[in-house]
Structures are given as C-alpha cells and as structure tokens.
Amino acid sequence: MTTSESVEDYLKAIYQLQEEQAGEPVSTTSLAARLGVASASVTGMLKRLASADPCLVVYRPYAGVTLSPEGTRAALEIIRHHRLIESYLNQVLGYSWDEVHAEADRLEHHISEAMEERLAEALGHPLVDPHGDPIPDREGNLLMPETVPLAEWPVDRAAIVQRITGQEPEVLRYLAVLGLVPGTVVVVRGQAPFGGPVTAAVEGREAVALSRELAGKILLVPAGAPEREDSHGA
C-alpha cells in the first residue's frame, strides 16, 4: 500500500510505544492517546495496515499491535527523517531543542531520500538528535547504549545524561535551565523513599529536587561508558 502521511504517523507511533514498552504489543487505547484520535479510527487503520501487501503490522483484536519487519523498516525511515531534520534545525538554523520537534513533525513526510542524505552529510552523519534520541542509519541500525533513568540511578555515582524522553517544550526548557541536557555529568545526591523526589547535582551547580516523573524522563549512562551498537533494522 502507499505509505501516506497518516500511515507513517501510525508506524512511527507504534514503534515509539513498543520501544517504551520493551517490545510489548501496543494497545489501541495507548495508540489512540498518542495520536490524538478516536479508538474506532485506530482499529480501522490497524486492520488496513495488517491486510496491506506487504503487511505492515501484526494486529490481534484485544491483544494489541506490533510492527512487522516491513513496518519496522518504514517506521525507522520516517524516524530517520525526523531526527535528521531536528538536528539540522538545531545545529544549522539555530532552533532551540524545545522548538525542533514540532517543525520536524511538519517536514518529515516531505523530504526526498536525496535530501535525507544531503542532511546527513552536512551534519557529519550524527548518531543522535538534540535530545539524545538515536538516529537510524540508512540500513535501519541505531546506536543504543544501555541507559538507566535518573529516578533509578544509585546515589553518589557519576553519570552522563544520554537522552531525554518526551518532547514537551516546557519540560525541555526547564531541563535546559537546570543544565540537564545530553552530555552533561550528573550525580544523584538523594532518593527520597515512598515515591518522593530525587535530588541531583549537575557538574558545577547546586543540587536540585526533581519529581519522580521528571527524573524518569532523563536517561543516563555511567560516566566513561562506551557506546554499544544494536541493530534494530528489519
């Protein structure tokens, strides 16, 4: 079937939800919430994607949906477009990291493969976007270091901010003010019990208290840890 903008949005959303859920099938409810559409519309689209030639998803009513190998390839291609555009907007055009997501959402469906490669070359073939999200290469491979949320990081052990999950502009602006951006060194100073806040100190700054929800969006790797390449292509 022709990969329309709507189909690409579905495939990208399914891929991202599967990633967040450690590969578990995605429910129609969570997919509808992510896309901002009615559950009935999601069901209809999933049936279309499952019956397409080639098949793009594996869909079982009441059991959720996963991407097929072909669907995974298509999702990674649009994710590559999105994250390269974000990087170009940030590095070349001077957009801040809280502005690039919405712009990339509008542009990701409209660039050619030739432009994709020009963007990658101009940027030096980056491995991650401004938020630390990995950029798939042309074959669909991603560099995916093992990460741990700041909310679960051991006290008094140095770490490097690898990735920020979620694209809420107000959250990104707040984290930038705190210095909690990819590449910075952070040390957890305290983990309050019973779901209380996490206290963390960015290098050269005083410690700040973060909610568990916010601390869960900040993914860390050990200071000095080498990156590890995983193949997530189909």
Side-chain angles (χ1 to χ4, degrees):
M1 67 182 295
T2 302
T3 307
S4 65
E5 290 186 26
S6 178
V7 167
E8 290 175 349
D9 286 340
Y10 269 82
L11 296 178
K12 183 175 74 169
I14 294 168
Y15 181 92
Q16 292 171 336
L17 286 166
Q18 278 188 245
E19 182 184 30
E20 294 168 16
Q21 299 170 186
E24 291 297 313
V26 175
S27 71
T28 54
T29 301
S30 61
L31 186 55
R34 176 63 59 92
L35 293 169
V37 298
S39 293
S41 297
V42 170
T43 299
M45 175 61 85
L46 294 181
K47 290 178 179 178
R48 284 181 56 205
L49 299 179
S51 61
D53 184 17
C55 169
L56 297 175
V57 304
V58 178
Y59 173 56
R60 297 182 179 87
Y62 310 108
V65 61
T66 57
L67 293 175
S68 69
E70 185 65 32
T72 300
R73 280 192 289 270
L76 286 167
E77 178 66 21
I78 196 65
I79 288 170
R80 175 171 165 81
H81 286 187
H82 182 97
R83 293 175 181 173
L84 282 172
I85 291 168
E86 286 190 329
S87 298
Y88 191 85
L89 291 171
N90 178 247
Q91 295 181 33
V92 179
L93 299 185
Y95 281 69
S96 62
W97 76 331
D98 58 282
E99 296 175 316
V100 296
H101 179 70
E103 291 285 3
D105 266 348
R106 287 187 280 268
L107 296 170
E108 64 190 13
H109 306 289
H110 305 295
I111 67 170
S112 66
E113 300 308 298
M115 179 174 285
E116 171 200 305
E117 287 309 305
R118 291 286 187 94
L119 289 175
E121 185 175 352
L123 294 166
H125 300 280
L127 298 177
V128 296
D129 72 8
H131 314 106
D133 293 325
I135 299 174
D137 66 16
R138 291 183 64 184
E139 288 71 45
N141 301 310
L142 300 119
L143 200 65
M144 292 282 284
E146 293 284 353
T147 59
V148 176
L150 189 147
E152 301 172 15
W153 194 259
V155 173
D156 293 331
R157 185 181 301 175
I160 296 173
V161 177
Q162 174 70 26
R163 182 180 183 184
I164 306 297
T165 63
Q167 303 291 347
E168 302 91 337
E170 63 277 10
V171 171
L172 294 174
R173 286 192 291 270
Y174 179 62
L175 291 178
V177 169
L178 299 179
L180 285 165
V181 298
T184 58
V185 177
V186 62
V187 178
V188 173
R189 296 302 187 193
Q191 295 272 12
F194 311 114
V198 179
T199 305
V202 175
E203 54 184 341
R205 302 185 184 218
E206 294 186 1
V208 295
L210 304 169
S211 70
R212 289 276 167 177
E213 179 183 5
L214 181 55
K217 296 176 180 289
I218 304 165
L219 304 185
L220 309 178
V221 294
E227 292 180 313
R228 178 174 63 83
E229 184 172 4
D230 284 350
S231 176
H232 288 251

